[in-house]
Amino acid sequence: MKKIFLILGLGLALTTTKAQDENKGGFGVSADIVSRYVFRGVDYGNSPAFQPTIEYSKGGFAIGAWGSYAFSSSSAGADAFQEADIYASYSFDFGLSLGVTDYYYPGSSWFELDDEVSSHAIELNLGYEIGNFSLAGNVALNDSRAGAGEENGVLYFEAGYAFKDFNFFVGGGDGWHVVSGDKGDFQVVNVGISTEKEIKITESFSIPMFGMVFVNPNSELYDIVVGISF
């Protein structure tokens, strides 16, 4: 029962031991509206979604909550997709970032923590940026196959390159990332480009807009996603 909280506590301790900064930390609130919630080449909810964030940050350290709430139910009649995550991370000056994410899907008990049926999927997140090139690696830390749907040890890796006007990315994984659902069946699942721009409303006010075009070779899905931030 305590395994998940121990994992989160260890991740938080690892990030906070380095979080020594003279600048005062502070809370921030933001939100996105997206045409689709797409994560690692998978479309969740088949609907536009509202995605709020509440975060405390200080120097390279950040801890926060992020969610996604579909505007409508799926065409198959299922309830509108919801997700409410908690995360902690630390970004070093030389480009390395470390973090841990707790994925949770409202509708199940937040206090269900037992192995295999846990409503939480815990993931270790690693990233590195050098110049325009970026790498990310993610590994599942718990087994919640009958609950949140994640298996211990499932992997996802992504590489990206930032060009002048757009970013190119390619990612691959196994387990829940692939059609088979099998751990060890590693496939390329997310290839595309993303870009962003500012929509000028007045001389002093503009709205950030972003977009992505991607294809998932494993599921044969192609889609276009756009969103705004405020």
Side-chain angles (χ1 to χ4, degrees):
M1 294 287 290
K2 297 181 179 179
K3 181 179 179 182
I4 289 176
F5 291 113
L6 287 173
I7 291 171
L8 284 173
L10 286 172
L12 183 58
L14 286 172
T15 55
T16 54
T17 54
K18 294 291 185 178
Q20 304 297 325
D21 193 273
E22 294 181 356
N23 298 326
K24 292 184 64 176
F27 284 91
V29 178
S30 62
D32 297 336
I33 296 177
V34 294
S35 59
R36 285 288 189 273
Y37 171 30
V38 173
F39 183 57
R40 299 177 184 172
V42 179
D43 186 345
Y44 289 90
N46 192 29
S47 164
F50 176 70
Q51 299 179 334
T53 301
I54 300 175
E55 181 181 280
Y56 174 84
S57 60
K58 180 178 180 181
F61 173 71
I63 184 169
W66 178 92
S68 185
Y69 302 89
F71 288 149
S72 63
S73 302
S74 72
S75 57
D79 293 338
F81 181 85
Q82 300 180 64
E83 182 175 336
D85 306 336
I86 299 172
Y87 62 88
S89 66
Y90 188 82
S91 299
F92 296 88
D93 292 338
F94 57 89
L96 177 68
S97 61
L98 305 173
V100 61
T101 301
D102 173 2
Y103 300 95
Y104 166 72
Y105 309 98
S108 56
S109 171
W110 196 84
F111 297 98
E112 179 56 80
L113 306 174
D114 290 338
D115 284 345
E116 295 193 0
V117 298
S118 174
S119 59
H120 299 260
I122 311 299
E123 187 179 70
L124 177 66
N125 316 120
L126 302 174
Y128 184 68
E129 293 185 9
I130 180 168
N132 293 341
F133 186 67
S134 63
L135 287 172
N138 307 271
V139 57
L141 299 179
N142 71 317
D143 193 336
S144 58
R145 282 173 289 180
E150 185 164 78
E151 185 175 358
N152 183 29
V154 165
L155 301 170
Y156 180 81
F157 295 98
E158 186 171 298
Y161 190 86
F163 293 90
K164 180 180 178 181
D165 297 319
F166 67 93
N167 301 316
F168 171 78
F169 57 86
V170 56
D174 63 352
W176 66 265
H177 300 98
V178 296
V179 173
S180 69
D182 294 336
K183 180 179 174 180
D185 181 20
F186 195 90
Q187 303 284 338
V188 175
V189 297
N190 191 22
V191 182
I193 61 172
S194 63
T195 188
E196 57 187 37
K197 66 175 295 182
E198 296 278 336
I199 302 176
K200 190 173 183 179
I201 306 300
T202 67
E203 289 296 327
S204 59
F205 178 71
S206 61
I207 297 177
M209 184 175 186
F210 55 90
M212 174 179 67
V213 177
F214 79 98
V215 62
N216 184 331
N218 180 244
S219 66
E220 300 182 355
L221 171 69
Y222 164 79
D223 210 341
I224 303 169
V225 178
V226 295
I228 57 173
S229 300
F230 54 95

